[in-house]
Amino acid sequence: MWLLDVGAILDQENDIRGFDAEIEVLKLSNDKSTSYAILSHRWGDGSEVTYDEMTGLAAMKPQKRDNVRERDGYQKIIKSCEQAKKDGYKWMWIDTCCIDKRSSAELSEAINSMYRWYRNAQKCYVYLNDVVESNGWPEWFSRGWTLQELIAPTEVEFFNNSWVSIGTKRDLTSSLEVITRIPEMVLKYEQVLRSTSTRPGVAHIMSWAAHRKTTRVEDRAYSLMGLFGVNMPMLYGEGSKAFQRLQLEIIRVSSDHSIFAWNSKGQRPKLLPRVYRRRKSESIWIHQRTRAVYVPPERTLP
């Protein structure tokens, strides 16, 4: 994975007239042996800084460089690095500029590794650009990719649009459970998703994503791969077939048949095995042998 050199980024920014094209602001590193912070955020329309722009910033003509530096996306990078430095981290990962999206192979590797990268990060900063002080409903909670970015990291801290801390995942667990419908145990201990004895049912995990949206149809499926511990190649342009491939991959590694029970009305679809029984007065189905729980979402995925 490519990581931003926090010191190099901030030194360069503080001495903008002394931009040195020889200084490397991105370094190829190992997520398992490097201590780094990571950013979770809502992408801005046309304001984000790409890998190509970040690596070529020092060599740009002054006017073009200033245009990049004035973008909200660039300021987000600087503020993230300032927070990382304050917390004692030398390396930072941000999806907008740490993936060379010109390479389809690198993009595919990054998407298949992203859950692990968030899980292995020492700290995750969640930047809520639409929250003033501590008020407002963040769009961050409605996006597909941010689901895994909430669950995977152990340490998560939320910031408003002025980069003022408004709490941590640990402190806000009860509120987050109400907002996201993700059980408190999963929010506190991500490893329960990797345990055969404590893992929620497949359909239950699917329900957490029911109200979330992605810009690309395929990302509805790709953003869920890490939660189910599966991998598959990226085929942008395949549309809803991506979700079908995700289902097949889940079936291949899991014996949980609730994957077929994706029904918006809480009714037993034809494909839901008879071993599931509906609990009286509740819209949940219980697997009679494994006790896996299916919680039907209010809205179906593709």
Side-chain angles (χ1 to χ4, degrees):
M1 66 187 303
W2 290 103
L3 289 173
L4 290 165
D5 185 327
V6 170
I9 293 288
L10 296 179
D11 288 347
Q12 194 166 250
E13 179 63 15
N14 292 331
D15 187 19
I16 196 67
R17 289 173 297 180
F19 257 74
D20 187 349
E22 299 299 318
I23 294 178
E24 294 184 350
V25 296
L26 281 160
K27 179 183 177 182
L28 199 58
S29 305
N30 188 317
D31 63 291
K32 294 182 180 179
S33 59
T34 306
S35 179
Y36 62 95
I38 201 165
L39 179 69
S40 176
H41 63 116
R42 173 76 175 97
W43 281 40
D45 295 332
S47 68
E48 303 300 344
V49 178
T50 66
Y51 171 92
D52 192 35
E53 290 172 325
M54 203 66 200
T55 55
L57 192 65
M60 289 180 184
K61 293 181 179 181
Q63 184 176 355
K64 184 177 181 181
R65 183 193 305 150
D66 289 343
N67 288 338
V68 173
R69 292 177 58 242
E70 289 172 0
R71 293 185 205 165
D72 290 341
Y74 182 79
Q75 292 305 312
K76 186 162 44 180
I77 293 171
I78 297 301
K79 292 296 185 181
S80 298
C81 287
E82 288 177 348
Q83 187 63 45
K85 182 179 180 180
K86 186 185 300 183
D87 291 340
Y89 300 112
K90 297 180 178 180
W91 303 100
M92 183 81 210
W93 190 87
I94 303 175
D95 56 356
T96 53
C97 61
C98 292
I99 304 173
D100 186 355
K101 299 175 183 67
R102 298 170 300 178
S103 167
S104 58
E106 181 169 331
L107 178 61
S108 182
E109 179 185 2
I111 290 177
N112 275 278
S113 305
M114 205 170 293
Y115 185 88
R116 190 186 77 235
W117 291 350
Y118 275 91
R119 187 179 66 210
N120 289 343
Q122 274 59 54
K123 194 163 189 178
C124 175
Y125 304 132
V126 175
Y127 176 59
L128 306 175
N129 67 300
D130 49 0
V131 173
V132 180
E133 294 183 352
S134 59
N135 300 315
W137 179 258
E139 190 180 5
W140 186 85
F141 285 110
S142 68
R143 305 305 299 177
W145 286 105
T146 58
L147 176 61
Q148 67 173 8
E149 295 164 14
L150 171 64
I151 293 174
T154 300
E155 298 294 332
V156 179
E157 186 169 4
F158 296 87
F159 294 85
N160 66 14
N161 66 347
S162 297
W163 280 93
V164 175
S165 177
I166 56 178
T168 66
K169 181 168 73 167
R170 194 182 305 274
D171 297 333
L172 301 171
T173 299
S174 297
S175 297
L176 291 170
E177 182 178 19
V178 173
I179 293 170
T180 64
R181 299 188 299 170
I182 301 171
E184 182 177 341
M185 184 64 70
V186 175
L187 290 170
K188 286 184 174 180
Y189 309 105
E190 176 274 340
Q191 57 266 34
V192 303
L193 293 180
R194 292 176 278 141
S195 170
T196 56
S197 60
T198 60
R199 182 183 181 88
V202 171
H204 191 182
I205 297 173
M206 285 282 187
S207 73
W208 305 338
H211 298 283
R212 292 174 178 261
K213 301 176 182 178
T214 59
T215 303
R216 302 287 296 267
V217 173
E218 297 87 352
D219 286 336
R220 296 289 298 279
Y222 301 160
S223 62
L224 296 174
M225 293 191 300
L227 289 170
F228 293 106
V230 300
N231 298 98
M232 60 187 198
M234 306 298 97
L235 298 173
Y236 283 106
E238 66 176 327
S240 59
K241 290 182 180 178
F243 191 76
Q244 296 172 13
R245 289 201 294 125
L246 174 66
Q247 288 178 307
L248 291 174
E249 286 299 317
I250 294 172
I251 293 168
R252 189 175 63 82
V253 301
S254 172
S255 59
D256 182 353
H257 295 116
S258 70
I259 182 64
F260 297 116
W262 200 245
N263 185 287
S264 62
K265 298 179 180 179
Q267 300 172 347
R268 181 201 301 278
K270 292 181 180 179
L271 289 176
L272 182 59
R274 290 288 173 184
V275 72
Y276 278 88
R277 295 290 182 270
R278 186 175 184 175
R279 181 178 290 176
K280 292 182 179 179
S281 75
E282 295 183 61
S283 294
I284 64 174
W285 297 80
I286 307 295
H287 193 288
Q288 298 302 293
R289 186 178 68 257
T290 66
R291 311 306 296 172
V293 177
Y294 161 52
V295 180
E298 297 176 17
R299 189 161 67 119
T300 60
L301 283 168

